[in-house]
Amino acid sequence: MSRVYNFSAGPAVLPEEVLKEAAEEMMDYRGTGMSVMEMSHRSKAFDDIIKEAEQDLRDLLAIPDNYKVLFLQGGASQQFSAIPMNLMKNGVADYIITGQWAKKAWQEAQKYGKAVAVASSEDETFSYIPDCSDLPIDDDADYVYICENNTIYGTKFKTLPDTKGKILVSDVSSCFLSEPHDVEKYGILYGGVQKNIGPAGVVISIIREDLIRDDVLPGTPTMLKFKTQADKDSLYNTPPCYAIYICGKVFKWLKKLGGLEVMAQMNAEKAKILYDFLDQSEMFKGTVRKEDRSLMNVPFVTGDKDLDAKFVKEAAEAGFVNLKGHRSVGGMRASIYNAMPKEGVEKLVAFMKEFEEANR
């Protein structure tokens, strides 16, 4: 069977050349006589892999020297606990609720201190980003938290909130490396890699060094202390070696393409093809306020559940898979991450036009 166009929100499409390279190295990684899956995380070969991956990521994002790069486990969801445990010195944090993941992070933080929802877009099913230019930030807030790109709802912060001098913590899982990020604007920038960078199993967290301290909340598990991980360069215990290896290949692929400015341009072109069609279609409608649209996740509906289901089924038969919207919102969603080729979006739009004609 030939490869499909995979519009999954995650685990998601990976660059074909990365998959081919990994396949070639599957049985014998660079003369070691074994797969990366089989090698010790303490070996010289793996030490080179993780160090090179970190350096390439630093190059791509121009990460300043006073930020640590950690390759962690437990998904972004585990960071929902780790962040308040490590940062809640005053016992207060402000959260901007723009979707299910930000809401879950906020609910988790309530276990450790006073977590305040200072803005929310839940009143309109998270279909927009609230105005964050003058928020009621708590004087003693330890940090302000956002989910920068909302995978389920297809919204994206185009401007970072004014945190009034407080540390900004951002979950960038579904827009990671889709465009340049100005790392210095964040205290912590983190994300699960399974959407835009690699296979599931790794969370990359970029943390300003002054936030990595011993004085964490009492009862913080050893594994969840940033300091534990930072002191051992992400090798405190066995890391997800193979997934880190694939991430490293994706970083090289991005560098070869010309870096994140080039990637941002390509992503904008791809998204425009789909949004332009949605804006003129009589059948399909986008669900997000135009100025807040994500370039990565594009939700849309026909307004008729049966027609939505028919579309998803026929699209899959035509080789466009994983277009069903998240169970909490229904409809459809096309995730068009870095590795989705432009032709995949063009062909999807051509299929949508045919479907619209046939189902008037």
Side-chain angles (χ1 to χ4, degrees):
M1 184 186 172
S2 62
R3 279 175 65 77
V4 294
Y5 288 110
N6 178 10
F7 292 94
S8 170
V13 59
L14 283 163
E16 279 194 21
E17 66 182 79
V18 166
L19 295 175
K20 283 176 182 157
E21 208 175 286
E24 281 162 20
E25 293 175 344
M26 178 57 83
M27 301 298 285
D28 175 12
Y29 176 73
R30 298 190 182 173
T32 58
M34 60 181 141
S35 169
V36 175
M37 279 189 197
E38 305 168 287
M39 64 177 55
S40 164
H41 61 298
R42 306 283 179 208
S43 66
K44 168 81 170 77
F46 185 71
D47 193 54
D48 288 346
I49 287 169
I50 193 168
K51 285 196 171 120
E52 207 169 303
E54 177 178 337
Q55 189 54 55
D56 285 337
L57 181 63
R58 284 185 175 277
D59 294 347
L60 282 165
L61 283 170
I63 298 173
D65 290 344
N66 65 325
Y67 281 75
K68 278 273 190 195
V69 173
L70 302 180
F71 295 94
L72 305 172
Q73 300 175 66
S77 297
Q78 187 156 279
Q79 294 305 303
F80 298 170
S81 317
I83 286 159
M85 283 177 167
N86 282 271
L87 298 189
M88 265 193 175
K89 302 288 172 280
N90 301 328
V92 183
D94 289 343
Y95 280 70
I96 297 166
I97 317 294
T98 51
Q100 191 169 308
W101 302 115
K103 190 175 181 179
K104 284 187 172 176
W106 168 62
Q107 288 167 337
E108 191 66 19
Q110 290 168 12
K111 297 176 181 176
Y112 306 105
K114 182 180 154 195
V116 186
V118 289
S120 170
S121 54
E122 194 166 11
D123 60 334
E124 290 182 32
T125 329
F126 300 122
S127 59
Y128 69 101
I129 298 289
D131 178 4
C132 297
S133 58
D134 186 19
L135 296 168
I137 305 289
D138 283 80
D139 287 342
D140 47 1
D142 291 301
Y143 60 90
V144 177
Y145 182 101
I146 62 170
C147 179
E148 201 159 317
N149 185 89
N150 296 284
T151 325
I152 294 174
Y153 303 95
T155 58
K156 165 82 163 65
F157 279 84
K158 303 292 166 75
T159 309
L160 293 175
D162 179 358
T163 63
K164 301 187 177 169
K166 303 297 181 188
I167 294 157
L168 177 64
V169 175
S170 180
D171 173 354
V172 294
S173 295
S174 53
C175 61
F176 219 170
L177 304 189
S178 65
E179 59 182 20
H181 304 271
D182 184 353
V183 175
E184 287 187 270
K185 289 184 173 163
Y186 306 85
I188 300 179
L189 182 77
Y190 81 93
V193 303
Q194 72 278 6
K195 297 171 185 298
N196 221 14
I197 302 174
V202 185
V203 172
I204 296 172
S205 195
I206 301 164
I207 308 177
R208 209 173 65 213
E209 282 178 352
D210 61 300
L211 304 178
I212 300 172
R213 299 190 296 248
D214 262 326
D215 58 330
V216 296
L217 292 191
T220 298
T222 305
M223 283 286 291
L224 294 194
K225 280 177 69 172
F226 295 153
K227 196 166 188 325
T228 303
Q229 304 290 350
D231 286 352
K232 297 291 183 190
D233 295 321
S234 308
L235 295 168
Y236 174 76
N237 70 327
T238 311
C241 300
Y242 196 79
I244 291 169
Y245 153 78
I246 299 288
C247 291
K249 289 202 175 298
V250 172
F251 300 154
K252 292 219 177 292
W253 174 75
L254 284 165
K255 285 177 97 170
K256 198 168 106 183
L257 279 175
L260 301 187
E261 282 85 0
V262 174
M263 199 68 244
Q265 205 178 328
M266 289 164 75
N267 286 329
E269 280 171 23
K270 282 189 300 193
K272 186 176 188 308
I273 294 165
L274 185 47
Y275 284 125
D276 282 355
F277 170 69
L278 289 172
D279 288 343
Q280 60 84 44
S281 168
E282 284 171 28
M283 177 181 285
F284 297 102
K285 294 279 170 279
T287 57
V288 172
R289 188 167 76 181
K290 280 187 186 180
E291 58 267 36
D292 299 326
R293 285 170 165 176
S294 165
L295 297 183
M296 296 284 99
N297 312 98
V298 184
F300 55 96
V301 294
T302 64
D304 176 334
K305 280 186 180 165
D306 294 336
L307 198 55
D308 286 354
K310 185 183 185 198
F311 173 78
V312 170
K313 180 174 178 287
E314 290 184 10
E317 286 161 3
F320 306 101
V321 302
N322 295 316
L323 281 165
K324 190 170 186 239
H326 191 272
R327 61 186 178 278
S328 63
V329 290
M332 283 74 65
R333 170 182 52 178
S335 293
I336 49 177
Y337 297 124
N338 286 351
M340 172 58 66
K342 185 175 169 184
E343 85 172 18
V345 183
E346 288 169 341
K347 286 184 175 175
L348 173 65
V349 167
F351 175 78
M352 289 168 79
K353 282 178 181 164
E354 283 171 26
F355 184 88
E356 183 164 347
E357 281 298 314
N359 292 275
R360 277 197 190 285

